[in-house]
Amino acid sequence: MSSKRIKKVKGGAEKLRDKKKQEEERKSLANSMLRYVTRSETPKIDEVLEENENGDGNENENVNAENVQNENEDEVMKDNEEKEAFDVKEYLIEGDINDPGNWERVDNKLRDFLVDKGPIERLPVDYHFPRDSIGRSFSHLSYTRRIANGEKQDRRWLIYSTAKDKAFCFCCKLFPQDNTAYQLATNGYNDWRNISQTLKEHERSHKHVICMTQWMDLEVRLRTSQTIDKHIQEEINKEKKHWRDVLLRTIALVKGLAKKNIAFRGRSEKIHEDDNGNFLGMMEVFADFDPVIKEHFRRIDKREIRYHYLSHRIQDELIKMLGTEVKKMILEKIQCAKYFSVILDTTPDCSNREQMSLVIRCVDISDTSPKIQEFFLSFLEVKDKTGEGLFETLQDVLLNLGLSIDDIRGQGYDNGSNMKGKNKGVQKRLLEINSRAVYTPCGCHSLNLLLTDIASSSTIAIRDALFHLAENSDNPKTRSEAESLAMSEVHGIGSFEFLFGMIIWYELLFVVNKVSKILQSEDMDIDIALSQLEGLVAFLKNYRETGFDAAKGEAERIAIEMEVEPVFSVKAKRLRKRKRHHDEEPEISGEDVILAAEENFRINYFIKIVDQGLVSLETRFDQLQSYEKTFGFLFDLKKLMLANDDKLMASCLNLEASLKHGNHFDIDGNDLFLELKLLKGALPKEIKKVVEILDYLKKLESCYPNTWTAYRIMMTIPVSVASAERSFSKLKLIKSYLRSSMSQERLNGLSILSIERRMAEKLDYTCLMNEFAGRNARRIKFQN
């Protein structure tokens, strides 16, 4: 009898029990390792991406590039997928992760994250919630529960979704009991008419109490690191700390290189190569001493990580983020100041693109002591250099920055016709919109034009330049002509007259240069500027009377040292006869007077150029001098103290009219008069400068509101465009011929970090790391 092997067949109930057991085991083990690290299911793609970042892969490896592109193009090219290494897990969630309306699926890791962060911060008390068709809306009163004894309790569990305009229960949403739960736990509740009764019923329900208990228990365990997966959580936190430490050093290095105008990249983006640039080179130096970067490089070398956070894309993103944060800090100060002036200047960069520098001047009142500040904000690529094109560019950038054109109280440009033009220039177009935005030509440019005016009245050549040509020119003809001009007595080069003229020019250039440097100060105001110009006028008047003899004595001393005869050359000149009309009287003999050589030099050269300087000062600084009529009684403390009531009232009303635009007034003239009368007696005797008055008023601005406003506006008016000119020196350092293809966004990020490096020093690294981790609202990640 043959024996048969009998196969035992399980029944349906037994199969169901086994299946249920296996399912439970599977669930208990599911995602346990994913709490520590995310692994890719396509190793070939990993190797390709790792090779792109690290540059250590095999270039001849046979990889299906088309499949890689199809599966990862969106992540790699558009969303900078290399960010995945920074945190353990990411969720593709539409909108803000803090908004309960976006919690479609809540797993254990998301629940832990939300419980650790706590309920979303409530909206401000003055926030206007959307109303329904009958005019009802959610109210802040719903956050408070009244109990029988009259006490109030905060409903911490109640949260509002701005995305769906619905109310949710925080704990019931995260710890659902079954499918028959309240709307507060599922899709949200928005029956605002019955919200009060619904909340009372909900908070008394057994399900809600259970969810509250689970919430509080998990919250305590997370804070004390006593969760079931404590050891795994510790590994996760350790890994997160490593990446945050790497990011901290990366941000610090980016900021340091940007502040010093140092190039980032080289020809290679691979570590451990000689030409990989300053950024990777400095990271290699860090790895020699810093254990964090040393461990990071070990992971890169061992291919334990896919992305190393050192690529050019990360550098660009960090530069942009740092520049944006500095710009936010500056804009906060400008908006706090309210009134500001715009300073513009243009120059071509190394790629022949016209760049316009935007500088904002304001009185910074955000600190304890007010001070005048000029902040660089951006370089703007200009394609239309006409007055209309420049003005439209200015309008657009002010709109993007959130600054109102109505708050402009001053304009500072150079003397170009497209800027200062009285009919179609930028200043004219802005004045048509805002008549209080007074235009002041750059004081330093005006001084340069003053020297040009003086020089145009002189025909003396430059002796040293001619000698240089005579010695170094490759053209024999040029050498001969330059030498003959330099030594010829006919043309005056090398003569005593030429030496005398150089002494005079040295004196003029010295004093003008001194004044120009003073006007270039960032905190320069019209009070000091006017006093400097008055001093320059006084010098020229005095020099006209006494300068000739002093210059002559100095010229004679130098001439003897140079072995030049200290006498004026006598040259016979042909008398010029003017053609006379038939009805004019005949020429009288002896009418033309031939002056002595020295006297001729004094009258036709010395007096002429000094007088030309006085005339140019009067005409080119007329706008600056006109401020004396408007603000003179404010910045001249002696005039303020000695002014009688009638004169003071007239000055206050005149200032009110000057600061009026349509039906809008910056100050009230009558109130300003009363405030100044009181201030004259209360002002401490040790205060001598306008800045000191501003500091005094800051402490008592509520007592002198009109005076406080008037002084702030007066100090806002620019004197020169030196700050914009200084920004061009940074432009040449940052966008050099080796980096001529730099994008405008990167240029602006590097420029603001370099120019406003004092502001960059105040950046908070912790906030920056959190900002960097959550820049994409659609890519939400775990943070500490």
Side-chain angles (χ1 to χ4, degrees):
M1 185 175 180
S2 62
S3 60
K4 292 184 177 180
R5 190 173 183 179
I6 301 174
K7 183 178 180 181
K8 184 178 179 180
V9 180
K10 295 183 180 180
E14 189 175 1
K15 288 183 178 179
L16 185 62
R17 284 195 300 272
D18 291 345
K19 185 178 181 181
K20 185 175 182 181
K21 184 177 179 180
Q22 293 175 0
E23 182 68 19
E24 289 176 353
E25 290 178 355
R26 186 184 65 80
K27 287 184 177 180
S28 66
L29 297 175
N31 297 329
S32 60
M33 287 303 295
L34 290 180
R35 298 174 69 85
Y36 174 66
V37 66
T38 301
R39 300 291 297 175
S40 172
E41 299 179 358
T42 55
K44 285 188 177 181
I45 295 175
D46 287 354
E47 294 171 6
V48 173
L49 293 176
E50 182 179 5
E51 180 183 350
N52 290 339
E53 284 291 349
N54 299 341
D56 297 327
N58 185 0
E59 295 181 0
N60 297 322
E61 184 176 2
N62 185 16
V63 179
N64 190 333
E66 182 177 358
N67 293 337
V68 172
Q69 180 179 0
N70 293 338
E71 296 178 16
N72 292 276
E73 179 179 11
D74 183 65
E75 290 292 309
V76 175
M77 300 303 294
K78 295 183 180 179
D79 292 323
N80 289 335
E81 191 184 19
E82 60 183 6
K83 298 180 183 177
E84 290 179 359
F86 175 65
D87 290 300
V88 178
K89 176 73 175 176
E90 71 174 17
Y91 294 92
L92 299 179
I93 294 179
E94 293 285 346
D96 184 6
I97 193 174
N98 295 308
D99 194 310
N102 299 323
W103 302 344
E104 298 295 336
R105 176 181 172 274
V106 179
D107 59 12
N108 291 334
K109 285 171 283 300
L110 180 58
R111 182 186 297 116
D112 291 350
F113 170 65
L114 294 172
V115 170
D116 188 39
K117 287 194 67 175
I120 185 175
E121 183 179 352
R122 291 170 181 172
L123 295 168
V125 180
D126 58 351
Y127 180 80
H128 298 289
F129 293 96
R131 295 185 178 274
D132 57 17
S133 58
I134 59 176
R136 289 187 171 89
S137 66
F138 182 78
S139 171
H140 283 86
L141 298 176
S142 300
Y143 288 127
T144 305
R145 174 188 182 186
R146 292 180 178 272
I147 56 179
N149 63 357
E151 293 181 352
K152 297 180 180 179
Q153 291 182 344
D154 181 57
R155 288 179 173 134
R156 183 168 172 251
W157 51 268
L158 181 61
I159 51 179
Y160 173 78
S161 169
T162 55
K164 292 191 174 182
D165 185 26
K166 291 183 179 182
F168 289 83
C169 176
F170 180 76
C171 56
C172 294
K173 182 71 174 175
L174 297 182
F175 302 90
Q177 298 298 306
D178 51 47
N179 293 331
T180 61
Y182 294 102
Q183 286 183 305
L184 286 165
T186 55
N187 298 325
Y189 187 85
N190 62 351
D191 184 3
W192 309 127
R193 180 177 182 180
N194 301 311
I195 184 68
S196 179
Q197 183 63 29
T198 301
L199 294 177
K200 291 178 181 179
E201 294 175 358
H202 179 78
E203 60 195 356
R204 284 192 290 239
S205 67
H206 179 66
K207 295 178 182 178
H208 175 75
V209 174
I210 293 176
C211 293
M212 283 285 291
T213 304
Q214 292 176 333
W215 173 23
M216 298 303 171
D217 180 59
L218 178 59
E219 190 175 47
V220 171
R221 286 189 284 115
L222 285 173
R223 290 179 180 175
T224 58
S225 300
Q226 296 297 322
T227 53
I228 297 175
D229 54 352
K230 173 184 175 182
H231 298 294
I232 298 178
Q233 189 67 38
E234 287 178 353
E235 291 297 324
I236 293 174
N237 292 336
K238 182 180 178 181
E239 186 71 6
K240 286 160 61 177
K241 184 179 185 303
H242 167 77
W243 284 105
R244 291 182 72 87
D245 289 343
V246 171
L247 182 59
L248 172 64
R249 287 153 176 78
T250 305
I251 292 175
L253 181 55
V254 168
K255 188 180 79 170
L257 293 177
K259 284 169 51 182
K260 299 298 183 181
N261 311 307
I262 299 175
F264 280 67
R265 301 197 292 267
R267 295 180 180 177
S268 171
E269 288 196 61
K270 300 177 182 179
I271 61 174
H272 307 308
E273 291 196 359
D274 293 337
D275 56 351
N276 56 11
N278 293 313
F279 180 83
L280 291 179
M282 289 301 298
M283 278 293 180
E284 292 172 1
V285 175
F286 289 173
D288 293 338
F289 304 96
D290 184 17
V292 174
I293 301 300
K294 185 176 182 179
E295 168 63 17
H296 192 57
F297 273 28
R298 185 196 67 78
R299 295 184 182 188
I300 296 173
D301 294 336
K302 297 293 184 180
R303 295 185 153 212
E304 295 179 6
I305 54 177
R306 295 170 62 188
Y307 308 111
H308 51 54
Y309 261 72
L310 305 178
S311 71
H312 69 275
R313 288 180 295 177
I314 290 296
Q315 296 172 29
D316 288 343
E317 187 169 354
L318 289 176
I319 290 170
K320 178 182 177 182
M321 182 188 68
L322 291 170
T324 301
E325 290 300 314
V326 172
K327 187 178 293 186
K328 286 180 181 178
M329 296 168 63
I330 293 174
L331 290 175
E332 287 176 1
K333 290 181 176 291
I334 297 173
Q335 289 166 353
C336 180
K338 181 176 173 58
Y339 305 112
F340 64 92
S341 294
V342 292
I343 298 174
L344 304 176
D345 203 358
T346 60
T347 189
D349 61 19
C350 62
S351 58
N352 292 323
R353 296 180 180 178
E354 195 72 17
Q355 299 284 353
M356 182 168 71
S357 176
L358 172 63
V359 175
I360 298 294
R361 176 187 172 99
C362 67
V363 177
D364 183 7
I365 59 175
S366 59
D367 296 331
T368 305
S369 180
K371 54 184 176 181
I372 303 172
Q373 295 274 34
E374 292 183 355
F375 297 109
F376 169 82
L377 283 180
S378 179
F379 283 121
L380 307 169
E381 185 177 348
V382 177
K383 296 181 179 179
D384 183 0
K385 294 189 290 184
T386 65
E388 182 181 5
L390 295 175
F391 180 64
E392 289 178 354
T393 303
L394 174 62
Q395 280 186 303
D396 293 340
V397 70
L398 291 178
L399 181 63
N400 293 334
L401 293 173
L403 299 176
S404 174
I405 202 170
D406 292 330
D407 292 332
I408 298 178
R409 293 296 178 269
Q411 308 177 64
Y413 317 130
D414 60 18
N415 287 272
S417 60
N418 56 350
M419 290 292 193
K420 74 168 187 177
K422 296 182 179 180
N423 297 318
K424 297 182 179 180
V426 176
Q427 65 99 4
K428 177 61 177 179
R429 295 176 186 274
L430 182 52
L431 285 173
E432 291 174 352
I433 298 176
N434 180 5
S435 61
R436 293 172 289 188
V438 294
Y439 165 64
T440 308
C442 174
C444 298
H445 280 85
S446 297
L447 286 176
N448 290 339
L449 293 175
L450 164 74
L451 294 174
T452 302
D453 295 339
I454 296 175
S456 64
S457 63
S458 170
T459 58
I460 294 181
I462 305 299
R463 188 188 189 202
D464 290 342
L466 293 173
F467 274 128
H468 179 80
L469 284 174
E471 295 174 359
N472 300 286
S473 177
D474 295 331
N475 189 327
K477 182 179 180 181
T478 303
R479 289 201 307 268
S480 176
E481 290 178 351
E483 184 176 1
S484 63
L485 284 173
M487 303 302 295
S488 172
E489 293 185 0
V490 176
H491 295 86
I493 310 300
S495 65
F496 179 68
E497 289 93 332
F498 178 82
L499 180 60
F500 201 164
M502 291 299 98
I503 299 297
I504 296 171
W505 267 104
Y506 176 81
E507 297 286 345
L508 294 176
L509 291 173
F510 181 84
V511 294
V512 171
N513 182 56
K514 281 290 184 182
V515 175
S516 180
K517 286 185 175 180
I518 294 174
L519 295 185
Q520 292 176 33
S521 174
E522 291 184 6
D523 58 354
M524 177 58 51
D525 56 61
I526 56 178
D527 171 29
I528 301 177
L530 285 174
S531 65
Q532 291 296 321
L533 292 177
E534 290 172 358
L536 183 56
V537 170
F539 168 81
L540 290 178
K541 290 181 177 179
N542 180 68
Y543 192 65
R544 187 181 190 276
E545 301 299 327
T546 62
F548 185 82
D549 292 335
K552 179 183 176 182
E554 181 68 13
E556 290 175 346
R557 183 185 65 81
I558 297 176
I560 293 174
E561 294 179 359
M562 295 177 61
E563 298 181 356
V564 174
E565 188 176 1
V567 295
F568 290 90
S569 59
V570 179
K571 303 172 185 176
K573 292 187 177 181
R574 180 177 62 85
L575 294 178
R576 295 181 180 178
K577 294 186 178 181
R578 183 175 61 86
K579 182 180 179 181
R580 295 179 181 275
H581 296 283
H582 67 280
D583 56 345
E584 288 186 293
E585 295 182 0
E587 183 177 353
I588 302 175
S589 177
E591 187 180 61
D592 293 326
V593 178
I594 301 176
L595 299 176
E598 179 177 336
E599 186 66 11
N600 179 68
F601 184 84
R602 188 184 73 85
I603 295 176
N604 293 325
Y605 181 74
F606 176 76
I607 298 296
K608 186 175 182 180
I609 63 174
V610 175
D611 286 348
Q612 181 63 56
L614 290 170
V615 172
S616 295
L617 274 175
E618 185 70 25
T619 57
R620 294 195 177 277
F621 289 91
D622 57 342
Q623 177 61 43
L624 196 59
Q625 292 171 352
S626 68
Y627 294 138
E628 172 72 26
K629 301 177 182 178
T630 309
F631 296 101
F633 72 105
L634 291 178
F635 57 69
D636 191 337
L637 296 185
K638 293 182 180 179
K639 185 181 293 186
L640 177 63
M641 293 299 180
L642 297 176
N644 56 42
D645 289 353
D646 292 339
K647 191 171 183 179
L648 184 60
M649 173 62 84
S651 299
C652 292
L653 294 177
N654 179 51
L655 182 60
E656 175 190 321
S658 300
L659 298 178
K660 174 188 175 184
H661 179 66
N663 296 324
H664 300 281
F665 296 83
D666 286 338
I667 62 169
D668 184 295
N670 293 307
D671 290 348
L672 178 63
F673 168 71
L674 297 175
E675 291 174 12
L676 289 175
K677 284 189 64 177
L678 179 61
L679 182 64
K680 286 166 58 176
L683 201 63
K685 295 182 180 180
E686 59 269 17
I687 292 181
K688 303 296 183 182
K689 300 180 180 178
V690 177
V691 177
E692 295 173 351
I693 297 178
L694 203 64
D695 193 24
Y696 176 78
L697 292 173
K698 174 69 165 64
K699 304 170 185 176
L700 302 169
E701 59 180 279
S702 58
C703 301
Y704 305 97
N706 289 275
T707 308
W708 170 242
T709 300
Y711 271 99
R712 282 160 53 206
I713 293 176
M714 182 185 74
M715 304 286 276
T716 299
I717 298 174
V719 174
S720 74
V721 298
S723 293
E725 292 279 1
R726 282 190 285 266
S727 69
F728 294 149
S729 64
K730 298 294 184 182
L731 173 65
K732 292 180 180 179
L733 290 173
I734 295 170
K735 192 171 183 179
S736 63
Y737 75 96
L738 292 175
R739 295 187 280 177
S740 59
S741 61
M742 180 184 299
S743 68
Q744 193 73 14
E745 187 176 61
R746 180 182 174 92
L747 171 63
N748 280 321
L750 292 173
S751 298
I752 198 169
L753 289 173
S754 174
I755 297 171
E756 299 296 339
R757 52 188 175 277
R758 296 178 183 174
M759 301 289 290
E761 289 293 341
K762 301 177 182 178
L763 293 174
D764 186 345
Y765 283 119
T766 302
C767 294
L768 289 171
M769 288 190 294
N770 292 335
E771 169 72 16
F772 182 78
R775 287 183 68 85
N776 251 326
R778 299 170 64 91
R779 303 173 62 83
I780 307 301
K781 304 176 180 180
F782 280 111
Q783 305 175 23
N784 281 337

